[in-house]
Amino acid sequence: MTIPAGDPVRVSAPLAGEVVDLTDVPDAVFSAQMLGAGLAIEPGHGVAEVVAPVAGTLAKLHPHAFVVVTDDGAGVLVHLGIDTVGLEGEGFTVHATEGDEVTAGEPVVTFDPDLVRSRDLSAVCPVVLMEAEPDSATDRASGSVRAGQPLFSWTAG
């Protein structure tokens, strides 16, 4: 990342649910923050609309995960459930195209957390600022969040 020092990256919740610490995500890559710092969200029941957590370019887009890269080069990964790549898109509807410019809050994917859970998979959704040092996220939300509410911030040192 080449984020200018002092300019915080503000990441909004991409979906509604309960905020979960990354250390509690049942996946070693996310819980050890190998991909970066952030938080996770446990969605409620029913179909969940997932929106862009920051404005930028959809650099990667799969039914179960996407990355938005800001104009400053910060990449935010949203992963919908754990090991959900094996569902091969079942339960997910994509509303955008890789390479699209998106605004924060713009719908990207809808998915069915109950279908994910019915396959004995976790529906928890890690939201990670890629390459950020572990535990470097600040202004961390807790409890229940709605899509678009502040989730966490990060500032280059």
Side-chain angles (χ1 to χ4, degrees):
M1 280 187 299
T2 55
I3 308 297
D7 287 346
V9 176
R10 299 182 203 297
V11 178
S12 299
L15 69 159
E18 293 291 319
V19 175
V20 175
D21 197 283
L22 279 181
T23 59
D24 294 328
V25 171
D27 181 288
V29 172
F30 290 111
S31 64
Q33 301 181 55
M34 291 180 199
L35 297 177
L39 288 169
I41 298 173
E42 181 69 45
H45 296 283
V47 173
E49 180 176 71
V50 184
V51 302
V54 292
T57 303
L58 272 170
K60 289 289 178 192
L61 178 60
H62 302 281
H64 69 283
F66 60 90
V67 175
V68 180
V69 176
T70 70
D71 289 344
D72 290 332
V76 178
L77 167 68
V78 178
H79 201 282
L80 305 174
I82 302 300
D83 295 330
T84 48
V85 66
L87 296 176
E88 299 179 347
E90 182 183 3
F92 298 84
T93 303
V94 176
H95 304 288
T97 301
E98 191 169 294
D100 281 357
E101 295 291 323
V102 293
T103 58
E106 188 171 331
V108 178
V109 176
T110 52
F111 89 111
D112 184 349
D114 295 326
L115 182 137
V116 171
R117 293 179 186 113
S118 76
R119 304 297 166 83
D120 292 326
L121 300 172
S122 171
V124 72
C125 301
V127 182
V128 174
L129 182 63
M130 299 176 70
E131 301 179 32
E133 291 294 319
D135 300 320
S136 61
T138 60
D139 304 322
R140 298 158 49 99
S142 61
S144 296
V145 292
R146 292 187 314 249
Q149 286 186 316
L151 185 62
F152 66 86
S153 297
W154 180 87
T155 304

mmCIF file of all heavy atoms in Angstrom, residues 14-61:
data_model
loop_
_atom_site.group_PDB
_atom_site.id
_atom_site.type_symbol
_atom_site.label_atom_id
_atom_site.label_comp_id
_atom_site.label_asym_id
_atom_site.label_seq_id
_atom_site.Cartn_x
_atom_site.Cartn_y
_atom_site.Cartn_z
ATOM 1 N N PRO A 14 -19.920 -3.513 5.329
ATOM 2 C CA PRO A 14 -20.526 -3.864 4.038
ATOM 3 C C PRO A 14 -21.864 -4.584 4.169
ATOM 4 O O PRO A 14 -22.549 -4.771 3.168
ATOM 5 C CB PRO A 14 -19.465 -4.775 3.400
ATOM 6 C CG PRO A 14 -18.743 -5.362 4.549
ATOM 7 C CD PRO A 14 -18.779 -4.342 5.649
ATOM 8 N N LEU A 15 -22.231 -4.994 5.384
ATOM 9 C CA LEU A 15 -23.514 -5.656 5.605
ATOM 10 C C LEU A 15 -23.895 -5.501 7.066
ATOM 11 O O LEU A 15 -23.076 -5.129 7.901
ATOM 12 C CB LEU A 15 -23.465 -7.134 5.207
ATOM 13 C CG LEU A 15 -22.629 -8.068 6.066
ATOM 14 C CD1 LEU A 15 -23.105 -9.498 5.865
ATOM 15 C CD2 LEU A 15 -21.161 -7.976 5.741
ATOM 16 N N ALA A 16 -25.131 -5.789 7.356
ATOM 17 C CA ALA A 16 -25.629 -5.712 8.731
ATOM 18 C C ALA A 16 -25.282 -6.990 9.481
ATOM 19 O O ALA A 16 -25.173 -8.063 8.894
ATOM 20 C CB ALA A 16 -27.140 -5.508 8.715
ATOM 21 N N GLY A 17 -25.105 -6.852 10.805
ATOM 22 C CA GLY A 17 -24.847 -8.017 11.639
ATOM 23 C C GLY A 17 -24.148 -7.640 12.914
ATOM 24 O O GLY A 17 -24.083 -6.466 13.281
ATOM 25 N N GLU A 18 -23.590 -8.646 13.572
ATOM 26 C CA GLU A 18 -22.852 -8.458 14.811
ATOM 27 C C GLU A 18 -21.358 -8.445 14.525
ATOM 28 O O GLU A 18 -20.850 -9.337 13.836
ATOM 29 C CB GLU A 18 -23.156 -9.600 15.799
ATOM 30 C CG GLU A 18 -24.581 -9.609 16.308
ATOM 31 C CD GLU A 18 -24.885 -8.428 17.219
ATOM 32 O OE1 GLU A 18 -24.034 -8.067 18.060
ATOM 33 O OE2 GLU A 18 -25.990 -7.849 17.073
ATOM 34 N N VAL A 19 -20.674 -7.442 15.050
ATOM 35 C CA VAL A 19 -19.228 -7.320 14.844
ATOM 36 C C VAL A 19 -18.513 -8.423 15.620
ATOM 37 O O VAL A 19 -18.836 -8.700 16.778
ATOM 38 C CB VAL A 19 -18.725 -5.926 15.288
ATOM 39 C CG1 VAL A 19 -17.207 -5.848 15.181
ATOM 40 C CG2 VAL A 19 -19.398 -4.845 14.449
ATOM 41 N N VAL A 20 -17.549 -9.046 14.952
ATOM 42 C CA VAL A 20 -16.759 -10.138 15.520
ATOM 43 C C VAL A 20 -15.283 -9.778 15.344
ATOM 44 O O VAL A 20 -14.886 -9.279 14.283
ATOM 45 C CB VAL A 20 -17.065 -11.471 14.776
ATOM 46 C CG1 VAL A 20 -16.179 -12.595 15.271
ATOM 47 C CG2 VAL A 20 -18.543 -11.825 14.897
ATOM 48 N N ASP A 21 -14.483 -10.045 16.361
ATOM 49 C CA ASP A 21 -13.050 -9.824 16.240
ATOM 50 C C ASP A 21 -12.461 -10.830 15.246
ATOM 51 O O ASP A 21 -12.888 -11.990 15.216
ATOM 52 C CB ASP A 21 -12.388 -9.996 17.615
ATOM 53 C CG ASP A 21 -11.006 -9.391 17.642
ATOM 54 O OD1 ASP A 21 -10.070 -10.036 17.092
ATOM 55 O OD2 ASP A 21 -10.857 -8.286 18.186
ATOM 56 N N LEU A 22 -11.488 -10.405 14.455
ATOM 57 C CA LEU A 22 -10.881 -11.334 13.491
ATOM 58 C C LEU A 22 -10.287 -12.561 14.177
ATOM 59 O O LEU A 22 -10.269 -13.650 13.594
ATOM 60 C CB LEU A 22 -9.784 -10.638 12.669
ATOM 61 C CG LEU A 22 -10.228 -9.790 11.488
ATOM 62 C CD1 LEU A 22 -9.003 -9.199 10.787
ATOM 63 C CD2 LEU A 22 -11.066 -10.576 10.497
ATOM 64 N N THR A 23 -9.806 -12.410 15.412
ATOM 65 C CA THR A 23 -9.221 -13.566 16.110
ATOM 66 C C THR A 23 -10.259 -14.652 16.377
ATOM 67 O O THR A 23 -9.894 -15.791 16.645
ATOM 68 C CB THR A 23 -8.562 -13.139 17.436
ATOM 69 O OG1 THR A 23 -9.551 -12.526 18.266
ATOM 70 C CG2 THR A 23 -7.411 -12.172 17.192
ATOM 71 N N ASP A 24 -11.539 -14.313 16.289
ATOM 72 C CA ASP A 24 -12.608 -15.287 16.515
ATOM 73 C C ASP A 24 -13.140 -15.909 15.226
ATOM 74 O O ASP A 24 -14.080 -16.709 15.267
ATOM 75 C CB ASP A 24 -13.763 -14.629 17.274
ATOM 76 C CG ASP A 24 -13.353 -14.228 18.680
ATOM 77 O OD1 ASP A 24 -12.502 -14.926 19.279
ATOM 78 O OD2 ASP A 24 -13.868 -13.208 19.182
ATOM 79 N N VAL A 25 -12.591 -15.533 14.076
ATOM 80 C CA VAL A 25 -13.018 -16.101 12.791
ATOM 81 C C VAL A 25 -12.431 -17.515 12.657
ATOM 82 O O VAL A 25 -11.248 -17.712 12.891
ATOM 83 C CB VAL A 25 -12.555 -15.195 11.620
ATOM 84 C CG1 VAL A 25 -12.781 -15.874 10.274
ATOM 85 C CG2 VAL A 25 -13.290 -13.860 11.680
ATOM 86 N N PRO A 26 -13.262 -18.515 12.313
ATOM 87 C CA PRO A 26 -12.781 -19.897 12.247
ATOM 88 C C PRO A 26 -11.989 -20.211 10.974
ATOM 89 O O PRO A 26 -12.314 -21.138 10.225
ATOM 90 C CB PRO A 26 -14.082 -20.711 12.323
ATOM 91 C CG PRO A 26 -15.099 -19.830 11.676
ATOM 92 C CD PRO A 26 -14.710 -18.417 12.058
ATOM 93 N N ASP A 27 -10.942 -19.428 10.764
ATOM 94 C CA ASP A 27 -10.037 -19.622 9.624
ATOM 95 C C ASP A 27 -8.700 -19.013 10.032
ATOM 96 O O ASP A 27 -8.641 -17.824 10.359
ATOM 97 C CB ASP A 27 -10.590 -18.914 8.387
ATOM 98 C CG ASP A 27 -9.697 -19.103 7.174
ATOM 99 O OD1 ASP A 27 -8.594 -18.498 7.154
ATOM 100 O OD2 ASP A 27 -10.080 -19.854 6.269
ATOM 101 N N ALA A 28 -7.645 -19.818 10.004
ATOM 102 C CA ALA A 28 -6.348 -19.383 10.510
ATOM 103 C C ALA A 28 -5.795 -18.175 9.750
ATOM 104 O O ALA A 28 -5.124 -17.320 10.336
ATOM 105 C CB ALA A 28 -5.346 -20.538 10.464
ATOM 106 N N VAL A 29 -6.054 -18.097 8.458
ATOM 107 C CA VAL A 29 -5.524 -16.973 7.669
ATOM 108 C C VAL A 29 -6.130 -15.656 8.156
ATOM 109 O O VAL A 29 -5.422 -14.660 8.347
ATOM 110 C CB VAL A 29 -5.801 -17.188 6.165
ATOM 111 C CG1 VAL A 29 -5.450 -15.950 5.356
ATOM 112 C CG2 VAL A 29 -5.016 -18.393 5.667
ATOM 113 N N PHE A 30 -7.434 -15.659 8.386
ATOM 114 C CA PHE A 30 -8.084 -14.432 8.865
ATOM 115 C C PHE A 30 -7.802 -14.186 10.340
ATOM 116 O O PHE A 30 -7.507 -13.055 10.741
ATOM 117 C CB PHE A 30 -9.595 -14.479 8.612
ATOM 118 C CG PHE A 30 -9.955 -14.369 7.165
ATOM 119 C CD1 PHE A 30 -10.489 -15.436 6.482
ATOM 120 C CD2 PHE A 30 -9.747 -13.186 6.466
ATOM 121 C CE1 PHE A 30 -10.813 -15.350 5.137
ATOM 122 C CE2 PHE A 30 -10.061 -13.081 5.112
ATOM 123 C CZ PHE A 30 -10.598 -14.167 4.452
ATOM 124 N N SER A 31 -7.892 -15.214 11.171
ATOM 125 C CA SER A 31 -7.742 -15.007 12.615
ATOM 126 C C SER A 31 -6.326 -14.571 12.980
ATOM 127 O O SER A 31 -6.140 -13.851 13.955
ATOM 128 C CB SER A 31 -8.137 -16.265 13.396
ATOM 129 O OG SER A 31 -7.268 -17.333 13.108
ATOM 130 N N ALA A 32 -5.332 -14.980 12.203
ATOM 131 C CA ALA A 32 -3.948 -14.538 12.449
ATOM 132 C C ALA A 32 -3.648 -13.224 11.723
ATOM 133 O O ALA A 32 -2.521 -12.734 11.783
ATOM 134 C CB ALA A 32 -2.965 -15.617 12.014
ATOM 135 N N GLN A 33 -4.639 -12.682 11.037
ATOM 136 C CA GLN A 33 -4.519 -11.414 10.319
ATOM 137 C C GLN A 33 -3.387 -11.461 9.276
ATOM 138 O O GLN A 33 -2.692 -10.474 9.058
ATOM 139 C CB GLN A 33 -4.342 -10.245 11.289
ATOM 140 C CG GLN A 33 -5.507 -10.127 12.266
ATOM 141 C CD GLN A 33 -5.370 -8.964 13.216
ATOM 142 O OE1 GLN A 33 -5.207 -7.822 12.794
ATOM 143 N NE2 GLN A 33 -5.440 -9.265 14.513
ATOM 144 N N MET A 34 -3.228 -12.622 8.641
ATOM 145 C CA MET A 34 -2.184 -12.776 7.620
ATOM 146 C C MET A 34 -2.456 -11.905 6.402
ATOM 147 O O MET A 34 -1.530 -11.509 5.709
ATOM 148 C CB MET A 34 -2.080 -14.240 7.189
ATOM 149 C CG MET A 34 -1.536 -15.157 8.236
ATOM 150 S SD MET A 34 -1.463 -16.855 7.586
ATOM 151 C CE MET A 34 -1.373 -17.772 9.086
ATOM 152 N N LEU A 35 -3.735 -11.632 6.120
ATOM 153 C CA LEU A 35 -4.077 -10.804 4.955
ATOM 154 C C LEU A 35 -4.152 -9.329 5.300
ATOM 155 O O LEU A 35 -4.136 -8.480 4.413
ATOM 156 C CB LEU A 35 -5.418 -11.256 4.359
ATOM 157 C CG LEU A 35 -5.444 -12.672 3.801
ATOM 158 C CD1 LEU A 35 -6.840 -13.023 3.310
ATOM 159 C CD2 LEU A 35 -4.435 -12.815 2.673
ATOM 160 N N GLY A 36 -4.263 -9.018 6.604
ATOM 161 C CA GLY A 36 -4.363 -7.634 7.035
ATOM 162 C C GLY A 36 -5.241 -7.510 8.259
ATOM 163 O O GLY A 36 -5.761 -8.495 8.777
ATOM 164 N N ALA A 37 -5.378 -6.272 8.711
ATOM 165 C CA ALA A 37 -6.162 -5.979 9.912
ATOM 166 C C ALA A 37 -7.611 -5.692 9.533
ATOM 167 O O ALA A 37 -7.905 -5.340 8.395
ATOM 168 C CB ALA A 37 -5.568 -4.781 10.633
ATOM 169 N N GLY A 38 -8.495 -5.803 10.504
ATOM 170 C CA GLY A 38 -9.899 -5.470 10.267
ATOM 171 C C GLY A 38 -10.798 -6.068 11.314
ATOM 172 O O GLY A 38 -10.386 -6.276 12.456
ATOM 173 N N LEU A 39 -12.008 -6.356 10.917
ATOM 174 C CA LEU A 39 -13.014 -6.964 11.779
ATOM 175 C C LEU A 39 -13.827 -7.929 10.923
ATOM 176 O O LEU A 39 -13.615 -8.000 9.704
ATOM 177 C CB LEU A 39 -13.949 -5.899 12.365
ATOM 178 C CG LEU A 39 -13.363 -4.984 13.445
ATOM 179 C CD1 LEU A 39 -14.305 -3.815 13.730
ATOM 180 C CD2 LEU A 39 -13.104 -5.770 14.731
ATOM 181 N N ALA A 40 -14.747 -8.619 11.544
ATOM 182 C CA ALA A 40 -15.660 -9.496 10.806
ATOM 183 C C ALA A 40 -17.078 -9.189 11.268
ATOM 184 O O ALA A 40 -17.290 -8.570 12.312
ATOM 185 C CB ALA A 40 -15.314 -10.958 11.048
ATOM 186 N N ILE A 41 -18.040 -9.611 10.450
ATOM 187 C CA ILE A 41 -19.449 -9.401 10.762
ATOM 188 C C ILE A 41 -20.184 -10.727 10.617
ATOM 189 O O ILE A 41 -20.070 -11.395 9.583
ATOM 190 C CB ILE A 41 -20.075 -8.342 9.828
ATOM 191 C CG1 ILE A 41 -19.369 -6.993 10.033
ATOM 192 C CG2 ILE A 41 -21.583 -8.217 10.075
ATOM 193 C CD1 ILE A 41 -19.794 -5.919 9.051
ATOM 194 N N GLU A 42 -20.916 -11.095 11.668
ATOM 195 C CA GLU A 42 -21.786 -12.272 11.617
ATOM 196 C C GLU A 42 -23.165 -11.798 11.181
ATOM 197 O O GLU A 42 -23.836 -11.084 11.929
ATOM 198 C CB GLU A 42 -21.866 -12.949 12.983
ATOM 199 C CG GLU A 42 -22.743 -14.191 13.007
ATOM 200 C CD GLU A 42 -22.157 -15.353 12.222
ATOM 201 O OE1 GLU A 42 -20.959 -15.627 12.366
ATOM 202 O OE2 GLU A 42 -22.917 -15.983 11.451
ATOM 203 N N PRO A 43 -23.578 -12.140 9.958
ATOM 204 C CA PRO A 43 -24.890 -11.664 9.484
ATOM 205 C C PRO A 43 -26.036 -12.365 10.205
ATOM 206 O O PRO A 43 -25.873 -13.474 10.715
ATOM 207 C CB PRO A 43 -24.866 -12.019 7.994
ATOM 208 C CG PRO A 43 -23.906 -13.147 7.877
ATOM 209 C CD PRO A 43 -22.898 -12.975 8.971
ATOM 210 N N GLY A 44 -27.182 -11.727 10.186
ATOM 211 C CA GLY A 44 -28.385 -12.322 10.757
ATOM 212 C C GLY A 44 -28.985 -13.329 9.787
ATOM 213 O O GLY A 44 -28.297 -13.852 8.907
ATOM 214 N N HIS A 45 -30.272 -13.584 9.949
ATOM 215 C CA HIS A 45 -30.957 -14.528 9.080
ATOM 216 C C HIS A 45 -31.576 -13.793 7.900
ATOM 217 O O HIS A 45 -31.864 -12.615 7.965
ATOM 218 C CB HIS A 45 -32.026 -15.279 9.869
ATOM 219 C CG HIS A 45 -31.438 -16.127 10.952
ATOM 220 N ND1 HIS A 45 -30.828 -17.327 10.707
ATOM 221 C CD2 HIS A 45 -31.340 -15.920 12.283
ATOM 222 C CE1 HIS A 45 -30.377 -17.830 11.834
ATOM 223 N NE2 HIS A 45 -30.677 -16.999 12.817
ATOM 224 N N GLY A 46 -31.788 -14.523 6.821
ATOM 225 C CA GLY A 46 -32.375 -13.934 5.625
ATOM 226 C C GLY A 46 -31.307 -13.435 4.682
ATOM 227 O O GLY A 46 -30.119 -13.391 5.017
ATOM 228 N N VAL A 47 -31.720 -13.087 3.486
ATOM 229 C CA VAL A 47 -30.784 -12.636 2.456
ATOM 230 C C VAL A 47 -30.145 -11.323 2.893
ATOM 231 O O VAL A 47 -30.835 -10.418 3.365
ATOM 232 C CB VAL A 47 -31.513 -12.480 1.103
ATOM 233 C CG1 VAL A 47 -30.591 -11.858 0.067
ATOM 234 C CG2 VAL A 47 -32.021 -13.831 0.622
ATOM 235 N N ALA A 48 -28.823 -11.236 2.732
ATOM 236 C CA ALA A 48 -28.064 -10.059 3.133
ATOM 237 C C ALA A 48 -27.569 -9.316 1.898
ATOM 238 O O ALA A 48 -26.980 -9.923 0.999
ATOM 239 C CB ALA A 48 -26.876 -10.469 3.997
ATOM 240 N N GLU A 49 -27.837 -8.019 1.868
ATOM 241 C CA GLU A 49 -27.259 -7.178 0.817
ATOM 242 C C GLU A 49 -25.873 -6.746 1.290
ATOM 243 O O GLU A 49 -25.717 -6.252 2.401
ATOM 244 C CB GLU A 49 -28.131 -5.953 0.554
ATOM 245 C CG GLU A 49 -27.553 -5.057 -0.536
ATOM 246 C CD GLU A 49 -28.465 -3.892 -0.854
ATOM 247 O OE1 GLU A 49 -28.575 -2.974 -0.013
ATOM 248 O OE2 GLU A 49 -29.060 -3.906 -1.944
ATOM 249 N N VAL A 50 -24.888 -6.932 0.424
ATOM 250 C CA VAL A 50 -23.510 -6.585 0.754
ATOM 251 C C VAL A 50 -23.099 -5.428 -0.146
ATOM 252 O O VAL A 50 -23.210 -5.520 -1.373
ATOM 253 C CB VAL A 50 -22.570 -7.788 0.554
ATOM 254 C CG1 VAL A 50 -21.161 -7.438 0.997
ATOM 255 C CG2 VAL A 50 -23.105 -9.004 1.309
ATOM 256 N N VAL A 51 -22.633 -4.338 0.482
ATOM 257 C CA VAL A 51 -22.306 -3.120 -0.252
ATOM 258 C C VAL A 51 -20.804 -2.850 -0.193
ATOM 259 O O VAL A 51 -20.083 -3.412 0.640
ATOM 260 C CB VAL A 51 -23.099 -1.918 0.313
ATOM 261 C CG1 VAL A 51 -24.603 -2.176 0.232
ATOM 262 C CG2 VAL A 51 -22.680 -1.595 1.739
ATOM 263 N N ALA A 52 -20.349 -1.966 -1.048
ATOM 264 C CA ALA A 52 -18.932 -1.583 -1.044
ATOM 265 C C ALA A 52 -18.606 -0.871 0.271
ATOM 266 O O ALA A 52 -19.311 0.060 0.654
ATOM 267 C CB ALA A 52 -18.630 -0.677 -2.229
ATOM 268 N N PRO A 53 -17.533 -1.300 0.958
ATOM 269 C CA PRO A 53 -17.173 -0.687 2.242
ATOM 270 C C PRO A 53 -16.390 0.619 2.088
ATOM 271 O O PRO A 53 -16.234 1.365 3.053
ATOM 272 C CB PRO A 53 -16.322 -1.760 2.918
ATOM 273 C CG PRO A 53 -15.691 -2.488 1.776
ATOM 274 C CD PRO A 53 -16.708 -2.463 0.667
ATOM 275 N N VAL A 54 -15.880 0.863 0.902
ATOM 276 C CA VAL A 54 -15.148 2.089 0.561
ATOM 277 C C VAL A 54 -15.438 2.394 -0.912
ATOM 278 O O VAL A 54 -15.888 1.517 -1.653
ATOM 279 C CB VAL A 54 -13.607 1.934 0.748
ATOM 280 C CG1 VAL A 54 -13.226 1.783 2.216
ATOM 281 C CG2 VAL A 54 -13.080 0.765 -0.071
ATOM 282 N N ALA A 55 -15.151 3.615 -1.316
ATOM 283 C CA ALA A 55 -15.247 3.961 -2.738
ATOM 284 C C ALA A 55 -13.972 3.534 -3.436
ATOM 285 O O ALA A 55 -12.881 3.596 -2.854
ATOM 286 C CB ALA A 55 -15.452 5.465 -2.894
ATOM 287 N N GLY A 56 -14.099 3.067 -4.661
ATOM 288 C CA GLY A 56 -12.913 2.670 -5.411
ATOM 289 C C GLY A 56 -13.272 1.780 -6.581
ATOM 290 O O GLY A 56 -14.387 1.821 -7.086
ATOM 291 N N THR A 57 -12.308 0.959 -6.960
ATOM 292 C CA THR A 57 -12.460 0.050 -8.091
ATOM 293 C C THR A 57 -12.605 -1.377 -7.586
ATOM 294 O O THR A 57 -11.841 -1.805 -6.715
ATOM 295 C CB THR A 57 -11.224 0.135 -9.012
ATOM 296 O OG1 THR A 57 -11.056 1.488 -9.434
ATOM 297 C CG2 THR A 57 -11.368 -0.766 -10.219
ATOM 298 N N LEU A 58 -13.566 -2.106 -8.139
ATOM 299 C CA LEU A 58 -13.705 -3.526 -7.807
ATOM 300 C C LEU A 58 -12.575 -4.270 -8.511
ATOM 301 O O LEU A 58 -12.698 -4.654 -9.673
ATOM 302 C CB LEU A 58 -15.057 -4.046 -8.274
ATOM 303 C CG LEU A 58 -16.214 -3.899 -7.308
ATOM 304 C CD1 LEU A 58 -17.537 -4.230 -7.995
ATOM 305 C CD2 LEU A 58 -16.008 -4.755 -6.082
ATOM 306 N N ALA A 59 -11.469 -4.448 -7.800
ATOM 307 C CA ALA A 59 -10.280 -5.059 -8.394
ATOM 308 C C ALA A 59 -10.448 -6.560 -8.575
ATOM 309 O O ALA A 59 -9.883 -7.139 -9.510
ATOM 310 C CB ALA A 59 -9.056 -4.761 -7.535
ATOM 311 N N LYS A 60 -11.174 -7.204 -7.683
ATOM 312 C CA LYS A 60 -11.497 -8.639 -7.761
ATOM 313 C C LYS A 60 -12.952 -8.807 -7.368
ATOM 314 O O LYS A 60 -13.423 -8.153 -6.437
ATOM 315 C CB LYS A 60 -10.619 -9.471 -6.819
ATOM 316 C CG LYS A 60 -9.181 -9.576 -7.233
ATOM 317 C CD LYS A 60 -9.045 -10.460 -8.445
ATOM 318 C CE LYS A 60 -7.595 -10.537 -8.891
ATOM 319 N NZ LYS A 60 -7.471 -11.149 -10.199
ATOM 320 N N LEU A 61 -13.636 -9.678 -8.066
ATOM 321 C CA LEU A 61 -15.040 -9.932 -7.739
ATOM 322 C C LEU A 61 -15.372 -11.385 -8.022
ATOM 323 O O LEU A 61 -15.252 -11.853 -9.165
ATOM 324 C CB LEU A 61 -15.959 -9.015 -8.562
ATOM 325 C CG LEU A 61 -17.461 -9.212 -8.367
ATOM 326 C CD1 LEU A 61 -17.876 -8.986 -6.914
ATOM 327 C CD2 LEU A 61 -18.236 -8.275 -9.291
#
